[in-house]
Amino acid sequence: MAGTDAVALLADVPFFEGIDNKTRKAVAQAGKEVSFKAGDFVVGEKGVGVGFYLVLEGRVEVRKGSKVIATLGRGQFFGEMSVIDGQPRSADVVATAPTKCWVLPAWSFAGLIKAHPEVALPMLKELVKRLRAAMSSPVS
Ligand code: CMP
């Protein structure tokens, strides 16, 4: 991949903050950029998860059936759940605008966390934030 935008974006993303430029470049090149049109399913619920996604531009919705549970934009991530535990995807993720993502394969994701465990803490913080939001939303 060209990598330039991903390198710049990774510099902006809190969980890649602790990584030096050289490593960040290598990490950026381990992934690839993928584009989606508005309406495209980026990830399908119950599908097998082989990638971790970071939004480079555009917008996606995380959906459970017809319910929108989150909207994510530039610098936000999704797809980490299946990549971490190997279970099927927990939700659909659908582009709601022309969207570009940086996608890191599962095996590279594991390698990244092992080589740079410092990226895990900000990611955990974001996951806790999402868990709290999910716990405080009304049960339907
Ligand atoms: P994964 O299960 O691999 O694929 C669907 C993704 O949707 C999931 O990973 C998370 O990244 C994302 N997701 C699931 N639930 C929520 C939520 N409550 N808030 C934000 N994102 C979520």
Side-chain angles (χ1 to χ4, degrees), residues 1-11 25 28-29 33 56 74 102:
M1 66 175 265
T4 328
D5 191 30
V7 174
L9 182 78
L10 298 194
K25 200 167 172 189
Q29 282 166 351
E33 288 176 27
L56 295 175
R74 180 172 167 84
W102 174 78

Side-chain angles (χ1 to χ4, degrees), residues 43-53 61-64 69-72 77-85 87-93 126-127 129-131 133-135 137:
V43 153
E45 186 173 0
K46 307 219 160 64
V48 180
V50 292
F52 167 83
Y53 294 74
E61 279 180 357
V62 180
R63 297 181 189 163
K64 272 288 223 190
I69 53 176
T71 301
L72 307 173
F77 65 84
F78 61 92
E80 76 295 343
M81 291 173 63
S82 291
V83 160
I84 289 169
D85 69 5
Q87 295 295 306
R89 297 292 193 190
S90 58
D92 292 323
V93 181
E126 174 63 22
L127 292 178
K129 195 171 142 194
R130 291 180 186 181
L131 180 61
M135 287 174 78
S137 71

Side-chain angles (χ1 to χ4, degrees), residues 47 79 88 99 103 110-111:
T99 296
V103 190

